[in-house]
Amino acid sequence: MRNRETRVRGIAARAGGWSARHRWAAVGIWVLFVVLAMGLGSAAGRVDVKDSDQMGGETHTAAKIVEDAGIDEPAGETVLIQAKSGGLKATDAEFRDAVGAVVAAVEGTGKVTGVTSPYDAKTISKDGRSALVQFDMRGDADTAGERVEPVLEAVEGVQKEHESLRIEEIGGASMMKTFDDAFGDDFQKAEYSAVPVALGILLVAFGALVAALVPVALAITAIIATMGLMSLVSHFQPMSETANSVMLLVGLAVGVDYCLFYLRREREERAAGRDAQTALRIAAATSGRAIVVSGVTVCVAMAGMLFTGIAEFEAMGLASLMVVAVAMVGSVTVLPALLSLLGERVEKGRLPFLRRRRPGGGTGEGSRFWTAVLKRVLAKPLLAAGVAVGALLAVAAPALGMKTQNLTLDQEFGDSLPIVQTYNRVNEAFPGGSDPAEVVVRADDINAPEVRAALADFRERAISSGASRGPVDITVHDGQNVALVYVPLVGGSDQDKAGESLDKLRDDVRPATLGEVDGVEAPITGQVAGSKDFNDQLVGSVLPVFAFVVVFAFLLMLLSFRSLTIAVTSIVLNLLSVGAAYGILVAVFQHGWGASLVGAEGVGAIITWLPLFLFVILFGLSMDYHVFVVSRIREARLRGRSTRDAIQHGVVTTAGVVTSAAVIMVAVFAIFGTLSMQSMKQMGVGLAAAVLIDATIIRGVLLPAVMSLLGERNWYLPKWLHRLPDLTHDESPEAIAAPVRDGEGERGERGEPVGV
């Protein structure tokens, strides 16, 4: 242990001290920063991720060719005309009349182009009961959903006149509109409801309106500032709506938590009899330091997403990193100024039925519940650790059979939307027709005889190889020397079978046809190809992301606590927490165990991006609690307590704030588990379950049990590591001052009065 009488003060203590002495300046600088960030961001505008940057592999190459050629692919729409009974065929007069009516109706809207009859395009099913009328929406494909309403109404009108037929529309524009109408407000409702939920929990935690409003206000201002910064940064690293939602989720969680840690410690010191300035100094040197260590660790974890090479992940990682950094800076700078300005007024607006609650239980001895739990854990630490580890491993066990895939439309939304049923009907009648593979062919001269021959050969072999049943459509853009080949894949919505068909095209058909012509480039894209390329890239990035996050988190723990043991145990405990979250996800969403309890369905798989996303987010967020609890244990140890007493003191005195912080995180994440999309349910349930496990089993049972078993070895640092930078200097004499006793003045460890 290092000398307790050192007077070196760390960055958090210095920042808190300056802020408390220059209250109005600190508040003014923060307000100016938020206003400038938002103003400059609004003026600069946000650049969103392009399709060509979404992922790597052939999908990226194909999108880049189309983008460079200036080809604007329109939003394609399809109308399914299908006999409800087995007798009616596409060759019958009634069926033909319906087809003609659909063609006339959609053309009459003036919103479409390139309407093609199934009798011309040969888009009639093998059994003759189904046919497709195909057309494109006029204008920009990205906004086609806003213009498709008249077309949908026209198709519905034809349906009413032909009751013996099923006439339904599906396509990029109609799906866009349907999902926006059904789920577009889901995210906004979730985001807006997260703030009042957090405020309500803080009201219960603090028992006072002003004390509850302060963390929420700082978190919101941090989010607002980050929105502006995201717009500025997007000119170098494009952003997205998904990144914005994740930023809000993470920003609210950590922003409120950081302020909660700081404010509860300040109130605890005030309740112990310290004057306002000393209480602020102690909060700055202890909770402030924990916030800095935690914030830097979370930022490092979020930075791991930058190693995926996937633009969406990079945007989410950078946005999360920025909001955590802003929230961290705000917590250790402007928060002390606000507390200094408010003084006793932080207790304004007290709730009468919570009037008896006092920070830290009023005695500094912490939670009675956790005191009882710790008494049993520390009495038999080996048994407690064994039971906790066994329980976590049992919960994590299902993760060994985890299956990941991009969810199909019916997996994502179930049967809640009529358009999902239409999607399934089209795939049954025309396997792969709704999501064909797209071959983007670029040549020096797309009309050269050898290129034309290769395209014709490709079309023929795609069908003869068994990869497609046709029809294979080719659209040639002469001016750009680009041809787009659309190949319906055998397997349709069955991801595995469609993937096998894609492999045939890429590995067999293409090399034998287009691959034989010099100067021809022919990447294959589409939904199935995009899913495969995304999976391949994600799998390839798992090891570097995991290694980066774990190694840097280990180094930060080592430098922050100067203990090899603490660094190792923190990594192991976090991995156990993440593993348990994986196990719950697989059990609920893959196997369907208890899925109805969370309003979910067992869809048989976990969405591809979630495991890596959860690892990064959870590894960062779980450090909040770990750093906060271990910092309190180390502080108690520096005051002269035995390791066992320090463990008990650290855990029980932080139990209240950790519980409050965990409840807020669980509540905010659980809101996202209420959304209709299965992917969002998986994310919400995974995050909420992991935080709950982390704040209870990990921090309340396993951490104290393991530290008790290790004893003095908790503080072990090999001599050859003593040369490492020392980041433990925030424990100033004020921070480790002995508790005030009734009738005594405030004094430090050597009996010296603690000055302001």
Side-chain angles (χ1 to χ4, degrees):
M1 306 291 291
R2 56 179 299 200
N3 188 337
R4 292 179 294 175
E5 296 186 49
T6 179
R7 293 190 176 271
V8 178
R9 303 178 69 209
I11 186 171
R14 293 198 300 271
W18 184 91
S19 179
R21 291 193 304 273
H22 305 85
R23 300 175 297 184
W24 287 110
V27 173
I29 291 171
W30 178 256
V31 172
L32 181 63
F33 163 69
V34 173
V35 171
L36 279 176
M38 197 61 193
L40 292 174
S42 299
R46 194 179 76 187
V47 177
D48 286 334
V49 174
K50 297 179 182 178
D51 289 341
S52 60
D53 295 328
Q54 286 285 7
M55 59 190 71
E58 292 192 30
T59 307
H60 169 78
T61 306
K64 190 67 175 170
I65 291 173
V66 171
E67 185 181 298
D68 291 344
I71 299 173
D72 293 323
E73 292 189 82
E77 288 289 295
T78 296
V79 176
L80 170 69
I81 304 168
Q82 189 176 68
K84 291 182 179 179
S85 61
L88 198 59
K89 299 287 186 178
T91 53
D92 295 337
E94 183 181 351
F95 202 108
R96 286 181 176 275
D97 288 344
V99 170
V102 169
V103 171
V106 297
E107 284 181 337
T109 63
K111 302 290 185 181
V112 306
T113 183
V115 182
T116 306
S117 167
Y119 302 109
D120 297 329
K122 311 295 185 190
T123 50
I124 299 174
S125 64
K126 282 190 174 183
D127 62 8
R129 295 182 56 247
S130 306
L132 302 177
V133 174
Q134 297 174 311
F135 54 89
D136 295 325
M137 293 295 300
R138 293 184 184 275
D140 186 1
D142 292 336
T143 58
E146 301 170 9
R147 302 186 301 277
V148 76
E149 179 69 26
V151 184
L152 292 170
E153 291 176 353
V155 172
E156 288 174 7
V158 178
Q159 169 68 90
K160 292 175 182 178
E161 296 172 1
H162 297 80
E163 295 183 358
S164 61
L165 296 168
R166 183 179 288 114
I167 302 175
E168 302 168 334
E169 182 176 345
I170 189 172
S174 51
M175 284 195 289
M176 189 186 306
K177 175 176 170 44
T178 302
F179 297 154
D180 284 346
D181 290 347
F183 307 111
D185 294 333
D186 261 12
F187 290 103
Q188 287 187 347
K189 289 177 182 177
E191 291 167 357
Y192 293 150
S193 59
V195 172
V197 165
L199 181 59
I201 296 169
L202 286 169
L203 275 172
V204 175
F206 287 121
L209 180 60
V210 174
L213 282 172
V214 169
V216 173
L218 273 178
I220 290 174
T221 55
I223 290 169
I224 291 172
T226 306
M227 285 180 179
L229 294 177
M230 283 175 64
S231 295
L232 294 174
V233 172
S234 70
H235 293 269
F236 306 96
Q237 167 61 58
M239 291 293 167
S240 67
E241 284 300 324
T242 305
N244 196 64
S245 295
V246 171
M247 181 277 293
L248 190 147
L249 187 73
V250 173
L252 185 62
V254 300
V256 169
D257 276 9
Y258 290 166
C259 294
L260 183 62
F261 293 161
Y262 207 110
L263 186 53
R264 282 293 288 265
R265 183 58 187 266
E266 189 268 349
R267 294 179 86 219
E268 180 184 325
E269 296 301 329
R270 293 290 300 275
R274 301 190 187 282
D275 63 79
Q277 290 174 312
T278 303
L280 267 178
R281 266 203 316 275
I282 294 174
T286 54
S287 291
R289 174 184 178 274
I291 288 168
V292 171
V293 174
S294 173
V296 173
T297 307
V298 176
C299 287
V300 167
M302 300 305 178
M305 283 197 263
L306 300 177
F307 289 83
T308 61
I310 300 171
E312 194 72 64
F313 267 63
E314 292 172 347
M316 287 191 292
L318 193 55
S320 301
L321 185 156
M322 288 192 295
V323 77
V324 171
V326 172
M328 175 185 69
V329 171
S331 298
V332 298
T333 56
V334 73
L335 182 57
L338 287 175
L339 295 179
S340 181
L341 284 169
L342 288 170
E344 293 294 336
R345 285 170 292 185
V346 77
E347 300 287 344
K348 290 286 186 181
R350 291 201 60 80
L351 303 181
F353 55 90
L354 293 175
R355 187 173 295 278
R356 290 180 299 174
R357 294 174 61 91
R358 298 184 68 190
T363 65
E365 294 305 316
S367 164
R368 292 181 181 178
F369 171 78
W370 284 110
T371 298
V373 171
L374 259 293
K375 183 178 180 181
R376 289 166 175 76
V377 169
L378 296 180
K380 296 181 178 179
L382 185 60
L383 176 63
V387 170
V389 170
L392 289 171
L393 290 177
V395 172
L400 296 174
M402 180 186 288
K403 177 185 177 183
T404 61
Q405 69 177 52
N406 283 336
L407 302 183
T408 59
L409 202 63
D410 54 338
Q411 287 177 317
E412 184 73 270
F413 299 102
D415 295 327
S416 59
L417 297 177
I419 203 167
V420 175
Q421 299 168 21
T422 304
Y423 173 83
N424 290 332
R425 292 188 188 108
V426 171
N427 268 306
E428 288 171 8
F430 304 91
S434 59
D435 297 310
E438 181 180 353
V439 188
V440 180
V441 182
R442 179 168 62 183
D444 296 331
D445 181 3
I446 201 67
N447 290 310
E450 62 272 19
V451 177
R452 286 286 189 176
L455 285 170
D457 195 15
F458 180 91
R459 170 189 272 169
E460 181 182 338
R461 292 204 187 194
I463 297 173
S464 63
S465 68
S468 176
R469 296 193 184 100
V472 177
D473 297 322
I474 301 176
T475 302
V476 178
H477 297 269
D478 298 317
Q480 293 87 359
N481 283 316
V482 171
L484 305 179
V485 185
Y486 300 96
V487 187
L489 296 173
V490 170
S493 58
D494 186 323
Q495 295 273 327
D496 294 333
K497 290 183 179 178
E500 292 174 4
S501 299
L502 174 69
D503 290 339
K504 286 181 183 178
L505 287 183
R506 283 181 167 179
D507 301 336
D508 301 330
V509 178
R510 180 178 56 187
T513 55
L514 296 168
E516 295 293 322
V517 183
D518 292 336
V520 169
E521 193 174 6
I524 300 178
T525 184
Q527 186 182 54
V528 176
S531 177
K532 184 180 186 304
D533 291 344
F534 181 84
N535 289 347
D536 291 345
Q537 186 161 357
L538 202 60
V539 169
S541 66
V542 165
L543 187 58
V545 170
F546 272 53
F548 174 83
V549 172
V550 170
V551 169
F552 273 81
F554 172 82
L555 290 175
L556 283 169
M557 291 297 100
L558 182 64
L559 296 176
S560 299
F561 292 101
R562 288 189 70 78
S563 165
L564 184 62
T565 309
I566 295 293
V568 171
T569 54
S570 67
I571 298 300
V572 173
L573 295 182
N574 276 6
L575 291 176
L576 276 173
S577 178
V578 173
Y582 284 172
I584 290 173
L585 275 177
V586 172
V588 174
F589 293 98
Q590 187 170 314
H591 301 312
W593 303 342
S596 59
L597 298 177
V598 294
E601 299 176 12
V603 296
I606 306 302
I607 192 164
T608 305
W609 54 265
L610 191 58
L612 186 61
F613 174 81
L614 277 183
F615 172 79
V616 172
I617 295 290
L618 293 177
F619 210 89
L621 295 183
S622 62
M623 281 298 181
D624 275 359
Y625 307 141
H626 191 84
V627 170
F628 191 65
V629 175
V630 175
S631 293
R632 198 64 181 268
I633 293 172
R634 186 177 186 277
E635 180 190 337
R637 184 72 181 87
L638 286 172
R639 289 181 174 181
R641 291 178 183 255
S642 67
T643 296
R644 181 188 175 90
D645 288 343
I647 293 168
Q648 179 161 347
H649 175 80
V651 173
V652 299
T653 54
T654 57
V657 66
V658 167
T659 301
S660 299
V663 169
I664 290 170
M665 276 199 185
V666 169
V668 170
F669 294 148
I671 290 172
F672 281 76
T674 65
L675 301 186
S676 305
M677 299 168 64
Q678 289 296 312
S679 56
M680 290 299 102
K681 283 184 180 294
Q682 290 184 7
M683 184 186 78
V685 170
L687 287 169
V691 170
L692 187 61
I693 289 171
D694 197 75
T696 53
I697 298 176
I698 298 289
R699 309 304 160 199
V701 178
L702 192 52
L703 174 64
V706 169
M707 291 189 74
S708 178
L709 289 171
L710 290 170
E712 289 303 311
R713 286 168 292 185
N714 280 297
W715 320 114
Y716 170 70
L717 184 71
K719 290 183 178 179
W720 58 275
L721 290 177
H722 284 188
R723 295 180 180 178
L724 289 173
D726 187 350
L727 303 183
T728 64
H729 52 254
D730 273 18
E731 289 93 350
S732 63
E734 294 91 340
I736 58 174
V740 174
R741 297 180 177 83
D742 292 339
E744 293 183 7
E746 186 179 348
R747 296 181 179 275
E749 286 191 330
R750 297 171 62 95
E752 300 161 348
V754 177
V756 175

